[in-house]
Amino acid sequence: MTTPPPTLAMVDDTAGVLAHGGGELLTDAELARAGAYRREVDRADYVAAHVLVRRCVAALLDVPAGDVVLRQRCAGCGATDHGRPYVQDRPEVHVSLSHTRGAVAAAAGWAPVGVDVEAIGRQLDDGLMAKVLSDGELEAVRNAGDPRAAFIRQWVRKEALIKVGAASLGRLRDTDLSGLPAHVPAGTPERARFDPWHVLDWLDPAHRYGFAAVSTHQTRLVTPA
Ligand SMILES: CC(C)(COP(=O)(O)OP(=O)(O)OC[C@H]1O[C@@H](n2cnc3c(N)ncnc32)[C@H](O)[C@@H]1OP(=O)(O)O)[C@@H](O)C(=O)NCCC(=O)NCCS
């Protein structure tokens, strides 16, 4: 049996992505969304994520990033300026993207994929934790050597699962990931399974943000071109 081709994922600082340009590749709908951000830093994160997802697709298909047209559609309201992203004219390609303050992530592959990146905040929000973690997860986070990193670990996994339709925002406690490792060493991608999903975890070496990708194929973390 042949191994399915991996899903490709990229994570980087917003500034690192934008240093290579690419903002001009965004569609009018994306530029309008970007322009609606009041804060320059949020706009930069949005643009960088939408550039990075084009780089992922370009790497997957071996085409120039300029050939990739990203579209979105919201299943809730039908609008085409937000919601699940997809690649125009390439329905067989699956994509996902995420932005947080100062960092962005994206993925492209031949199988469903969801990614999330989240900055590790300065303090834990007990109310949020109780809302989104199962009892087992909550206990593991509280007992972890680094509870903030342990919380972000579960949070990005759950958000990535939302993006593939395997979890729901209002019922995150029901998605119990306490069987997955609580500790992920900084700078080393770690793999786990939450059937049928392959989970890839990553914590940046400077310990500023956590990242997770879930896909039915293995995910390969590649350096942004
Ligand atoms: C999907 C969701 C959990 C991600 O939110 P988040 O973690 O705060 O933000 P992230 O930066 O990690 O991810 C945002 C990206 O997820 C993608 N996304 C949005 N909805 C998505 C969906 N249903 N499925 C997969 N991906 C989705 C978009 O590309 C979005 O990027 P953009 O805002 O730059 O276009 C959040 O958007 C959500 O809960 N959406 C459902 C509610 C909704 O659709 N509200 C609008 C109704 S009109």
Side-chain angles (χ1 to χ4, degrees), residues 118-130:
E118 196 72 38
I120 298 174
R122 283 201 209 98
Q123 63 190 66
L124 285 168
D125 179 337
D126 284 336
L128 177 66
M129 286 209 304

Side-chain angles (χ1 to χ4, degrees), residues 121-144:
R122 283 201 209 98
Q123 63 190 66
L124 285 168
D125 179 337
D126 284 336
L128 177 66
M129 286 209 304
K131 216 164 114 185
V132 303
L133 298 181
S134 68
D135 291 344
E137 291 168 343
L138 198 53
E139 195 186 335
V141 166
R142 290 204 169 119
N143 293 330

Side-chain angles (χ1 to χ4, degrees), residues 2-205:
T2 54
T3 313
T7 296
L8 303 182
M10 298 178 182
V11 193
D12 202 357
D13 293 347
T14 295
V17 173
L18 296 181
H20 294 95
E24 73 283 358
L25 303 179
L26 271 56
T27 61
D28 288 347
E30 289 171 299
L31 291 173
R33 274 288 304 289
Y37 281 100
R38 281 193 295 130
R39 295 165 64 103
E40 173 59 36
V41 283
D42 296 331
R43 194 177 316 131
D45 294 333
Y46 173 94
V47 171
H50 285 246
V51 169
L52 196 63
V53 74
R54 285 169 163 81
R55 292 196 189 139
C56 286
V57 177
L60 184 82
L61 301 179
D62 196 19
V63 299
D67 287 1
V68 180
V69 181
L70 193 77
R71 300 286 181 201
Q72 286 174 267
R73 189 169 187 286
C74 176
C77 71
T80 54
D81 65 345
H82 65 273
R84 185 188 294 271
Y86 63 94
V87 182
Q88 180 173 291
D89 300 329
R90 298 302 298 250
E92 72 281 26
V93 173
H94 297 256
V95 291
S96 184
L97 64 91
S98 176
H99 35 99
T100 187
R101 181 59 54 83
V104 295
W110 305 106
V113 58
V115 296
D116 194 58
V117 63
E118 196 72 38
I120 298 174
R122 283 201 209 98
Q123 63 190 66
L124 285 168
D125 179 337
D126 284 336
L128 177 66
M129 286 209 304
K131 216 164 114 185
V132 303
L133 298 181
S134 68
D135 291 344
E137 291 168 343
L138 198 53
E139 195 186 335
V141 166
R142 290 204 169 119
N143 293 330
D146 183 345
R148 288 181 308 143
F151 172 66
I152 288 298
R153 172 69 36 233
Q154 297 296 36
W155 176 255
V156 292
R157 287 167 174 162
K158 292 187 183 208
E159 289 272 309
L161 285 165
I162 291 175
K163 290 178 183 173
V164 290
S168 103
L169 196 55
R171 299 184 55 182
L172 282 179
R173 291 192 82 232
D174 298 346
T175 302
D176 185 7
L177 306 179
S178 48
L180 300 184
H183 174 70
V184 173
T188 313
E190 294 280 314
R191 295 175 191 288
R193 286 303 299 266
F194 182 67
D195 272 334
W197 305 101
H198 291 269
V199 180
L200 182 129
D201 292 310
W202 194 71
L203 182 66
D204 81 294

